[in-house]
Amino acid sequence: PQGELARVVFVHPDDGSEFVLDARVVRTVERPTESRGIGVKFEDMTSEVEEAFEAFIVSGLPELDVEAQFIVEENDSELL
């Protein structure tokens, strides 16, 4: 229910380590079968916690090709 506190546990895909964040439910979507979900707001997100969480997430991503270029054409702006 909205307003409830929740503990969200992110598990690293490579080594199974966990990053735990407390959150508050700010939105719920209840449907009979599909597209159910909740929106949460992380509590006590200091800049240090945010940086540590970002490092945790990025460390599980494959390396990107730094030579890759992304070009947005004028008619692509509708998609942004």
Side-chain angles (χ1 to χ4, degrees), residues 5 7 12 14-15 21-22 25 27 33 38 44 47-48 50 52 56 61-63 65 70 74 77-79:
L5 287 175
R7 178 154 285 163
H12 197 281
D14 294 334
D15 61 16
L21 292 172
D22 290 327
V25 177
R27 189 180 76 131
T33 55
I38 63 171
D44 304 321
S47 58
E48 292 82 13
E50 190 173 332
F56 178 83
L61 296 176
E63 288 190 35
D65 180 2
F70 297 95
E74 285 184 38
S77 63
E78 296 173 8
L79 302 175

Side-chain angles (χ1 to χ4, degrees), residues 22-37:
D22 290 327
R24 185 167 303 276
V25 177
V26 295
R27 189 180 76 131
T28 59
V29 177
E30 297 183 31
R31 295 192 177 128
T33 55
E34 58 203 42
S35 301
R36 295 181 192 177

Side-chain angles (χ1 to χ4, degrees), residues 9-20 52-53 55-57 59-60:
V9 180
F10 297 89
V11 179
H12 197 281
D14 294 334
D15 61 16
S17 62
E18 296 179 351
F19 198 100
V20 180
F53 183 55
F56 178 83
I57 296 297
S59 69

